Amino acid sequence: MNPLILDGKVLAKNIEQTLAERTSALLRHAPGRTPILATILVGNDPASATYVKMKGNACRRIGMDSRSIELSEQTTTEELTSVINELNADPNVHGILLQHPVPHQIDERYCFDAIALEKDVDGVTCLGFGRMSMGSVAYGSATPAGIMTLLKHYEIPMKGKHAVILGRSPILGKPMAAMVLNEDCTVTICHSRTQDLPSHVKQADILIAAVGKPAFVQESWIKPGSVIVDAGYHPGGIGDVDPKAFALASAYTPVPGGVGPMTISTLMSQTLSAAELALGI
Ligand code: NAP
């Protein structure tokens, strides 16, 4: 049987339509109070500039707005923190996105944690991570939260399944592990020091690849019938999994059109929720 394609592009488009309707309802309730996502781009990385632009465009597609803040490559931790504090205090700003990565002289963790919890719509603060992990209310890190929305939409069974996460980054692997654990998966987290990685991957009912290396996961590592989520995106439309592996899966996320669109729609959804909360809706 052909594997099921977990189509993030179509789902994200449908979610955007719902978000546009929710934004219109918000504006009827609070005229002139357009939800605003502030985006902070530090330095000259062209890929980061593209991601920030895509997020601003997504805001406008659903009737929200974005406020773009661009800071120089030489920005210090103190300067960036001061910008974040101003945005925290601005009642017209509902969400704050600090684009990762920032230049090396900046203490990124310190700056992420300076974002007020109620505006942490990209789910990057330690406090938000802790609350989400404990199953309490917090905005999830956008990429893993988007993956969860996709898995739930396609009714992928999770209870008791063995989820293997490749990667333990603060924005992807770690929160991903907490989210699938909260859905009663048995979880294995692999990283660059993991021994005999293929043997771990072979046990996965649900494999989530977030290693940042093109076509890294080999066809021979895959357990037939497993669900493969490929968070990677590399030039030429290649993810972190060798595309030949997808034929063995029962379901998989395509690259592109799987995880990427879900990340942006999650950010939009969480920004709108933050605006609704701030406006008492
Ligand atoms: P990252 O911060 O570079 O983390 C990569 C993780 O992979 C690390 O935990 C690292 O282990 C692990 N790793 C590296 N080499 C490995 C190896 N040979 N064997 C096993 N594990 C290995 O990357 P990230 O930010 O989490 O992103 C991961 C992927 O997701 C990238 O392809 C990125 O482009 C993609 N991504 C996509 C979206 C989206 O919206 N679609 C968003 C964010 C990221 P150590 O911790 O031991 O170093």
Side-chain angles (χ1 to χ4, degrees), residues 135-147:
S136 159
V137 180
Y139 300 116
S141 179
T143 301
I147 290 171

Side-chain angles (χ1 to χ4, degrees), residues 160-165 186-188 190 195-207 220-224 226-227:
K161 299 294 179 187
H162 190 167
V164 176
I165 321 286
T186 300
V187 184
T188 299
C190 301
Q195 293 181 6
D196 194 7
L197 188 66
S199 72
H200 292 287
V201 175
K202 198 80 187 175
Q203 292 174 34
D205 299 313
I206 301 171
L207 172 67
S220 60
W221 304 0
I222 301 296
K223 175 175 170 180
S226 58
V227 173

Side-chain angles (χ1 to χ4, degrees), residues 174-245:
K174 276 187 188 148
M176 188 79 251
M179 287 176 195
V180 289
L181 180 63
N182 286 345
E183 292 299 325
D184 296 326
C185 283
T186 300
V187 184
T188 299
I189 308 171
C190 301
H191 46 79
S192 65
R193 311 294 165 88
T194 297
Q195 293 181 6
D196 194 7
L197 188 66
S199 72
H200 292 287
V201 175
K202 198 80 187 175
Q203 292 174 34
D205 299 313
I206 301 171
L207 172 67
I208 298 167
V211 263
K213 290 185 165 30
F216 176 77
V217 176
Q218 302 299 299
E219 186 184 6
S220 60
W221 304 0
I222 301 296
K223 175 175 170 180
S226 58
V227 173
I228 303 177
V229 175
D230 189 345
Y233 182 67
H234 307 280
I238 295 287
D240 287 351
V241 179
D242 182 336
K244 289 198 290 294

Side-chain angles (χ1 to χ4, degrees), residues 65-121:
D65 219 339
S66 67
R67 185 185 298 173
S68 161
I69 292 148
E70 294 182 8
L71 303 174
S72 83
E73 189 78 36
Q74 285 73 41
T75 304
T76 63
T77 300
E78 290 69 30
E79 287 163 344
L80 180 52
T81 311
S82 145
V83 168
I84 291 169
N85 286 336
E86 278 173 34
L87 295 170
N88 283 339
D90 186 339
N92 293 318
V93 169
H94 304 102
I96 300 172
L97 170 107
L98 170 58
Q99 184 64 44
H100 161 85
V102 294
H104 62 89
Q105 76 278 8
I106 294 177
D107 183 341
E108 186 180 73
R109 172 49 42 210
Y110 185 84
C111 292
F112 275 154
D113 283 330
I115 298 172
L117 186 66
E118 66 275 15
K119 298 191 182 188
D120 178 24
V121 292

Side-chain angles (χ1 to χ4, degrees), residues 5 18 21 28 62 66 80 83 94-95 106 109 132 138 147-149 151 172 208 229 248-249 251-252 256 262 266 276:
I5 296 175
T18 312
E21 287 159 16
R28 280 195 299 277
I62 62 170
S66 67
L80 180 52
V83 168
H94 304 102
I106 294 177
R109 172 49 42 210
M132 177 279 294
I147 290 171
M148 293 309 289
T149 303
L151 293 175
L172 224 168
I208 298 167
V229 175
L248 290 172
Y252 70 95
M262 294 306 299
T266 301
E276 288 169 341

